[in-house]
Amino acid sequence: MEASGRTYRGDNVHKVLSFKEDKEMPKPRAVDRDYVNSGYHRVHLCSSADNCWDATAQKQSFLFTKICSQDHKLNPKPPWALFI
């Protein structure tokens, strides 16, 4: 991976990945419908951009076990949008 300023480059930048349940976890486990109309966002614990060095790491960053819930009111814009 090559870092250039605040931009990370790699061969495995996600295009359209959606969050998935982690089938290795015992039930009950988080699923997409837990977030629908809940007022909460799915937030990566480790930025997806930090995983573009490896396709497996990129896919795993979209498992529900690799995210946390965040109230929409706490972060309505992406962090970079605060500076424009």
Side-chain angles (χ1 to χ4, degrees):
M1 174 175 65
E2 174 187 326
S4 174
R6 298 177 80 176
T7 304
Y8 291 89
R9 294 190 176 103
D11 295 332
N12 298 290
V13 177
H14 82 86
K15 299 203 177 13
V16 183
L17 289 176
S18 58
F19 290 98
K20 306 274 185 213
E21 67 180 291
D22 189 343
K23 304 263 184 186
E24 294 183 12
M25 295 300 295
K27 289 184 178 182
R29 54 185 173 237
V31 293
D32 199 47
R33 70 179 166 269
D34 294 332
Y35 289 89
V36 175
N37 297 319
S38 70
Y40 289 92
H41 285 259
R42 297 159 288 225
V43 181
H44 291 276
L45 292 171
C46 176
S47 170
S48 173
D50 291 339
N51 292 300
C52 62
W53 55 274
D54 181 76
T56 300
Q58 182 62 246
K59 288 178 184 174
Q60 288 178 345
S61 76
F62 281 85
L63 292 174
F64 281 114
T65 51
K66 306 288 197 264
I67 66 166
C68 63
S69 302
Q70 182 176 13
D71 188 316
H72 175 70
K73 292 177 266 186
L74 295 175
N75 193 14
K77 294 182 181 180
W80 55 264
L82 299 173
F83 300 104
I84 56 172

